[in-house]
Amino acid sequence: MRRIIVFDTTLRDGEQSPGFSMNVSEKVTLAEQLAELGVDVIEAGFPIASNDDFEAVRQVARVVAGRAAVAGLCRTKTEDLDRAGEALKEAARPRIHTFIATSDIHLAHKLKMSREQVLEAAVAAVKHARKYTDDVEFSAEDATRTDREFLCRIVEAVIKAGAKTVNLPDTVGHTVPWEYASIIKEVLTRVPSAAGITLSVHCHNDLGLAVANSLEAIRAGAGQVECTINGIGERAGNAALEEIVMALKHRQADFQAETGVKTEEIIPTSSLLVEITGVPVQPNKAVVGSNAFAHEAGIHQHGVLSKTETYEILKPESVGAQGSKLHLGKHSGRHAFRRKLVELGVDLDEESFEKAFARFKETADRQKTISDDDLLSIAGVDADAASSGPFILEHLQFTSGTDIVTNATVTMKVNEGTVVRSAWAYGPVEAACKAIDQACGMSARLLDYSVKATTSGKDAMGEVVVKVEFEGRRAEGRASSVNVIEASARAYAQALNRLSKGASTRPATTVLKPKP
Ligand code: KIV
Ligand code: ZN
């Protein structure tokens, strides 16, 4: 089993991408967690780039205190190397990471240097860096678009100069797995001294291949993988640490390789990064997305309920997630609905269950997400109680606006008959209650009315609670809906049902046309 070195560059390559910048204390906080996660190297910044980057590398090195090596990035310039050396002075395990581009396109248009000049600069930088630490890494920027002959020459030269790690980045995310593997193999074959150092890979995700390229490079002999939490990084990002680590773990027999990452710390680390940067992870992101262990389709939910492995290859707990989630939505079936109710401590008889399931489906068609609170409302006895009395609200319609008097019309089952009543008022709640009063032949007094959102978002469930008095007796009604006027009407009707037990009601039986 080969031990792959995990080099985390969230605080450098990740941090240098738009929207992800972190201040010194945020970097220190995340570095603490990266150390908990068990990465081998933390690249904490680019010390010459700014005083903050210098300070971040210094403070991260201090707080990490040898639990991981701490790297500072530098160009091949002496001032860069000296600044990194200074920032890492107190580090228990300092690493200087120096880089220069090696592809002809970068040489001609960016560096305006010849291959010989680049080679000389690389060798000189490695030698200079070695004055500060034995742990020197050299990166041949844009290695995947570099002439292979020249790439092998420079790799050999920097190893001779003292580099202990040589990184061959796919800087622009240009390569494909089989090509990257062939580069690694060619370097290992043509540069015999490469067997004595660590060959590293660093992939960008411009074609969505960063993780696949990294894994194939590991199979080809790379011993270090550079990656970031949540795959953040320049442009389309870097290879995602969590995906590489979990792929290596899940297919260990194929890779014959392992890492030192404590995988249970993956989600806490990912969440901390989100908290610090304020940039959420896409829900369908592998390993750390909120849907990574969520199932909505009825067939999948049924499978997961009988054996999780039917639709899950990773154990949620193994990455620090709280278990599989059965997401209840319009695609869900009875199995998941029943299971969820049991989890929520709700035990319904068959008839109530079927009614609740029908209400659930109805709600799921209207709402994208159904929370536990929604479910409790859906499964609650409220609606049942309302419909078990003499009054059942079958239909509500109202017309309301900013400068018109509101009209509400209700169709109610009252005992055996159907009653339609209409009422006018300033607001829709009052109009609905008045229409219900008329339909039920009860004129109750509304003592208290409250509405509160029980879920979040614009499509939140509104729970309405009413307290009603009639002939000296009081009752409460409660109902929830995304339509708070409907919830108000149902809550009111429920209260009337409770009051009607023993009350003198005179339910109307005629159907009246709404008055203008
Ligand atoms: O993508 C890249 O080439 C880099 C180097 C500095 C390692 O980030
Ligand atoms: Zn990079």
Side-chain angles (χ1 to χ4, degrees), residues 371 373-374 377 450-465 479-482 484:
S371 67
D373 284 348
D374 292 341
S377 309
S450 73
V451 57
K452 89 167 191 281
T454 52
T455 57
S456 54
K458 289 190 183 119
D459 61 354
M461 282 289 238
E463 186 190 50
V464 173
V465 181
S480 297
S481 170
V482 284
V484 291

Side-chain angles (χ1 to χ4, degrees), residues 9 12-13 16 141 167 169-171 202-204 226 234-235 237-238:
T9 183
R12 198 278 299 169
D13 215 334
Q16 78 190 41
E141 191 190 12
N167 185 33
D170 182 31
T171 305
H202 173 119
C203 294
H204 281 268
E226 302 195 357
E234 283 282 3
R235 305 181 308 280
N238 285 62

Side-chain angles (χ1 to χ4, degrees), residues 389-400:
F391 316 127
I392 299 170
L393 178 66
E394 291 200 313
H395 184 74
L396 165 72
Q397 186 181 319
F398 56 90
T399 319
S400 192

Side-chain angles (χ1 to χ4, degrees), residues 281-411:
V281 170
Q282 72 191 65
N284 59 320
K285 164 84 178 62
V287 183
V288 293
S290 56
N291 285 354
F293 300 102
H295 311 270
E296 176 167 332
I299 295 170
H300 290 213
Q301 292 183 333
H302 187 192
V304 167
L305 284 172
S306 58
K307 190 162 176 69
T308 45
E309 287 82 353
T310 51
Y311 286 99
E312 270 180 12
I313 56 158
L314 306 176
K315 288 213 178 308
E317 298 75 15
S318 71
V319 294
Q322 273 173 354
S324 323
K325 284 184 271 181
L326 296 185
H327 182 265
L328 288 183
K330 64 177 182 175
H331 303 109
S332 307
R334 285 181 172 73
H335 285 101
F337 183 62
R338 192 184 297 280
R339 161 72 167 253
K340 192 75 191 181
L341 291 183
V342 170
E343 267 173 37
L344 294 171
V346 179
D347 185 14
L348 299 179
D349 59 36
E350 265 323 293
E351 201 190 324
S352 310
F353 174 82
E354 285 305 323
K355 281 187 194 162
F357 185 66
R359 276 199 299 275
F360 157 69
K361 282 288 198 185
E362 233 173 65
T363 312
D365 271 338
R366 284 201 311 263
Q367 263 174 242
K368 282 212 176 82
T369 49
I370 301 205
S371 67
D372 289 356
D373 284 348
D374 292 341
L375 284 170
L376 285 171
S377 309
I378 286 166
V381 288
D382 301 351
D384 285 339
S387 58
S388 70
F391 316 127
I392 299 170
L393 178 66
E394 291 200 313
H395 184 74
L396 165 72
Q397 186 181 319
F398 56 90
T399 319
S400 192
T402 48
D403 43 19
I404 55 166
V405 180
T406 301
N407 170 258
T409 303
V410 295
T411 305

Side-chain angles (χ1 to χ4, degrees), residues 4 20 76 120 140 163 184 207 312 314 325 367 372 374 390 426 457 471 501:
I4 303 299
F20 288 95
T76 50
E120 259 174 46
I184 304 295
L207 294 175
E312 270 180 12
L314 306 176
K325 284 184 271 181
Q367 263 174 242
D372 289 356
D374 292 341
Y426 285 112
E471 293 181 348
K501 313 271 163 29

